[in-house]
Amino acid sequence: YTNDNADRFPIAQYFDHSNGAWVAWDTTSRPTASGSTEPGLIWRYIQGHETQQCPSYKGPSMTAADPFTGYNYNTSYIGRGQGEGSFLGMGESPALDTEMRRPSATAITGDGGYASGANKFMRAPRDTGVPEALVHAGTQAYRHANATNITFVDGHGESTTARFRKPGASATAEMLMDFPKNGFLSADDRLYSRR
């Protein structure tokens, strides 16, 4: 994807007014089309759409139009999304390959999970670009023998049982996250940040 897009990672999500569709890193969905989902920004590079479904995730999809779910994408520092600041409505533009200072230590995708299911937008605990509730809905699920799987920008994957809370989080946010079933990869943003 980055090779075809001037070294830039995909935006997490945006609304394409010309097509009336929500375009995300994984899927494109049209609210008016019943159950229709098309490839999103990264999905176009994958043969077999079922690879977007975590085999261990049996819960509800984040949206009715998404038939495949369970994974999340580092929205805080890699892709951002529409409505999160000044660049096309984002706080900062999606990351460039060349901006990655620690590609072997920056998460790009993982096992999404919060109290209501799986959110496909991974959030860093100290992300100030969105409300606290969205930050806590973007945590990791530990559904693989009490561990969560993460892929990093350099392409390697890891499994970890370590899970963290956001220091100073509200009780409502903690309930939304459903800790300790779900949690953050670190208490700070070090495993999420591109710098």
Side-chain angles (χ1 to χ4, degrees):
Y1 180 93
T2 59
N3 286 344
D4 289 344
N5 290 275
D7 250 6
R8 201 163 291 284
F9 284 86
I11 183 174
Q13 55 78 23
Y14 69 95
F15 188 75
D16 182 350
H17 291 280
S18 64
N19 292 320
W22 279 102
V23 179
W25 66 276
D26 59 345
T27 60
T28 298
S29 56
R30 287 177 174 70
T32 56
S34 60
S36 76
T37 302
E38 301 164 19
L41 300 172
I42 296 177
W43 214 11
R44 297 174 186 148
Y45 291 82
I46 300 169
Q47 292 189 5
H49 299 160
E50 63 278 359
T51 60
Q52 294 293 322
Q53 174 70 44
C54 173
S56 297
Y57 181 68
K58 307 299 182 201
S61 179
M62 186 177 145
T63 61
D66 275 353
F68 306 112
T69 193
Y71 299 122
N72 61 10
Y73 172 66
N74 186 345
T75 304
S76 290
Y77 294 107
I78 306 298
R80 277 299 184 196
Q82 183 176 353
E84 296 182 30
S86 59
F87 176 86
L88 295 177
M90 298 176 296
E92 57 186 322
S93 64
L96 288 165
D97 253 346
T98 54
E99 290 178 316
M100 290 297 159
R101 302 288 183 254
R102 303 171 310 112
S104 64
T106 302
I108 191 166
T109 59
D111 293 312
Y114 72 118
S116 296
N119 188 331
K120 62 182 177 178
F121 305 118
M122 178 192 293
R123 299 285 185 186
R126 297 187 184 274
D127 187 342
T128 56
V130 295
E132 184 180 48
L134 290 181
V135 169
H136 280 76
T139 54
Q140 300 307 112
Y142 290 73
R143 59 177 162 260
H144 303 285
N146 208 31
T148 192
N149 297 322
I150 316 143
T151 55
F152 292 84
V153 171
D154 71 350
H156 87 279
E158 291 182 16
S159 184
T160 182
T161 58
R163 69 197 78 183
F164 299 87
R165 290 178 152 128
K166 173 185 174 181
S170 70
T172 302
E174 293 253 323
M175 284 176 34
L176 179 68
M177 175 173 69
D178 197 15
F179 186 87
K181 180 180 174 186
N182 305 305
F184 293 102
L185 299 172
S186 54
D188 55 22
D189 290 359
R190 66 187 160 81
L191 286 178
Y192 301 87
S193 181
R194 64 198 194 197
R195 295 181 176 86

